[in-house]
Amino acid sequence: AAAKRKRDAPAARPKKRARSAPSAPEPDAKPCPDGAGPEEYSIPPPVSQGKWKNKERVLIFSSRGINFRTRHLMQDLRTLMPHSKADTKMDRKDQLFVINEVCEMKNCNKCIFFEAKKKQDLYMWLSNTPQGPSAKFLVQNVHTLAELKMTGNCLRGSRPLLSFDPTFDKEPHYALLKELFIQIFSTPQYHPKSQPFVDHVFTFTVTDERIWFRNYQIIEEDASLVEIGPRFVLNLIKIFQGSFGGPTLYENPHYQSPNMHRRLVRLSVAAKFREKQHVKEVQKIKKTGSKVLIKEDPTEVVFETPAEEKPVEIQLVKPESKPIVKDKKKPRKIQRKKQKKLFRTEA
């Protein structure tokens, strides 16, 4: 509403609205008599009153050539991790160490990079930029949040619990990966975009020389769980000392590349085909080969009984012809056909 003017007084300027009000009103501040005081524009304080000290930021992005499933997985991780940042897709021709500069520009000290090859193989890089270390994984069996099997739900921006298999404490390379997972996937306390609730669990399980990632919702206090998603399997390839390169700290001896796996599948199919062809050729040789004559068995004619020989009769007279029996039903059939024709023509 416009300010009221007096006849001889100059027009009063309307008060500007405050851009940001303090989290709590000062104790000495008193409300204005007009009714438009600081209480009108006060913003309620955030739920968490603590100070944000652990400033971990994770950059999540990918290379060009990813499919729709990888894009949905990347978007799901950004949703579940409020301390993450996004960036445009990186060109395939660029070297991987350029990602360190991108992380520096985005003010991120951790990175999750999805690298697609041949439009069917997906690799994931987890790195601590810019010093390192970094790990490269082959991602398999990807299922996203949008699938119908994932019936759970959790609060957006809530902090997760991290659950690790006991194997992570037994071997040194798994211990290094555990520390990397903790720093990347755990949401920092008092993060501005996070909620001060814990209602879901990230589980990392080692089975069949692979790391299985699952996300569960905590339904009740008795620790009953429902899977939310996403879910995927990480097959470790190498661990590097630097960020996206450097000396190799560990190489997985059980890893088999997708190209080698596809080659072995093709070779097994070709071996089966060659075996079938070989069996057919052997059968042809057996059929065309010389037959072995079996000697006559002297006991073969023991049970044969000779039949009585009948005299040969020669018929000199022509046999009588059989009488021709006419079909009595035939004229009736002909008559019915004629009646049908007449009926059709009349119709």
Side-chain angles (χ1 to χ4, degrees):
K4 293 182 180 180
R5 299 183 181 179
K6 294 182 180 180
R7 271 184 193 176
D8 301 332
R13 293 183 181 179
K15 295 183 179 180
K16 291 184 180 179
R17 185 170 179 174
R19 291 184 182 178
S20 61
S23 58
E26 297 178 3
D28 299 335
K30 295 181 181 179
C32 293
D34 299 340
E39 291 181 356
E40 184 179 351
Y41 304 109
S42 63
I43 299 171
V47 181
S48 59
Q49 297 288 343
K51 190 177 181 182
W52 179 32
K53 296 179 181 179
N54 179 19
K55 308 225 172 159
E56 294 281 354
R57 298 181 184 88
V58 183
L59 180 65
I60 304 176
F61 72 118
S62 68
S63 65
R64 296 195 180 277
I66 61 171
N67 55 8
F68 71 98
R69 191 176 292 274
T70 307
R71 188 173 67 252
H72 289 183
L73 173 64
M74 188 169 58
Q75 192 61 39
D76 293 345
L77 290 177
R78 288 174 183 167
T79 306
L80 292 171
M81 300 164 63
H83 60 293
S84 63
K85 289 188 176 182
D87 195 22
T88 56
K89 294 179 182 177
M90 197 180 78
D91 197 359
R92 293 181 187 176
K93 296 179 182 178
D94 295 339
Q95 299 295 327
L96 290 177
F97 60 83
V98 179
I99 301 174
N100 296 325
E101 299 177 5
V102 178
C103 292
E104 188 178 354
M105 290 166 57
K106 289 283 182 177
N107 195 19
C108 296
N109 50 5
K110 299 289 184 296
C111 180
I112 300 178
F113 177 66
F114 291 95
E115 185 180 8
K117 290 185 179 180
K118 295 188 176 180
K119 295 185 179 180
Q120 55 185 345
D121 301 331
L122 177 64
Y123 298 92
M124 179 192 284
W125 285 84
L126 300 179
S127 177
N128 179 22
T129 57
Q131 290 86 12
S134 59
K136 184 179 181 182
F137 301 91
L138 174 68
V139 186
Q140 299 170 326
N141 302 335
V142 177
H143 297 273
T144 59
L145 276 168
E147 296 191 12
L148 296 176
K149 292 180 181 178
M150 312 299 181
T151 56
N153 191 11
C154 67
L155 183 68
R156 185 185 179 94
S158 60
R159 301 180 66 216
L161 291 174
L162 298 186
S163 173
F164 289 93
D165 194 88
T167 316
F168 281 94
D169 298 326
K170 295 178 182 177
E171 299 185 21
H173 62 281
Y174 280 132
L176 178 61
L177 290 178
K178 179 181 178 181
E179 185 62 31
L180 196 61
F181 288 148
I182 289 172
Q183 294 184 16
I184 290 177
F185 288 98
S186 62
T187 304
Q189 193 176 13
Y190 305 124
H191 191 278
K193 293 183 180 179
S194 69
Q195 300 289 339
F197 307 106
V198 176
D199 60 351
H200 62 287
V201 184
F202 289 161
T203 62
F204 298 88
T205 312
V206 178
T207 307
D208 194 21
E209 304 297 336
R210 291 170 174 82
I211 300 171
W212 300 63
F213 176 87
R214 296 288 184 271
N215 181 21
Y216 296 99
Q217 176 196 359
I218 304 172
I219 300 178
E220 297 177 2
E221 293 181 359
D222 60 348
S224 56
L225 303 175
V226 174
E227 188 171 359
I228 303 174
R231 59 156 68 169
F232 50 87
V233 179
L234 299 176
N235 191 358
L236 178 63
I237 303 173
K238 284 183 180 181
I239 299 176
F240 300 96
Q241 184 177 353
S243 178
F244 296 98
T248 303
L249 298 178
Y250 175 79
E251 186 173 0
N252 188 7
H254 306 284
Y255 171 72
Q256 187 182 68
S257 65
N259 293 333
M260 182 60 68
H261 177 70
R262 287 190 286 267
R263 180 172 174 271
L264 292 177
V265 171
R266 288 196 301 269
L267 288 176
S268 63
V269 174
K272 288 181 181 178
F273 179 74
R274 282 197 300 270
E275 187 178 354
K276 287 182 180 179
Q277 291 295 110
H278 182 65
V279 171
K280 287 181 181 180
E281 290 174 2
V282 171
Q283 289 176 352
K284 283 182 182 179
I285 292 169
K286 285 182 179 179
K287 287 179 181 179
T288 57
S290 59
K291 297 180 180 179
V292 180
L293 296 174
I294 302 172
K295 295 180 180 180
E296 292 183 0
D297 189 5
T299 61
E300 189 177 359
V301 293
V302 172
F303 298 100
E304 289 184 2
T305 54
E308 296 179 0
E309 293 183 2
K310 294 182 180 180
V312 180
E313 294 181 0
I314 299 172
Q315 193 174 2
L316 301 174
V317 184
K318 183 181 178 182
E320 295 179 359
S321 59
K322 294 180 180 180
I324 301 170
V325 181
K326 292 185 177 180
D327 189 7
K328 295 180 181 179
K329 296 181 180 179
K330 195 170 184 180
R332 292 179 185 175
K333 292 179 182 178
I334 295 168
Q335 192 174 0
R336 285 176 188 169
K337 287 182 180 179
K338 288 181 180 179
Q339 286 177 357
K340 287 181 180 179
K341 285 182 181 179
L342 288 171
F343 180 74
R344 288 174 186 171
T345 52
E346 287 174 4

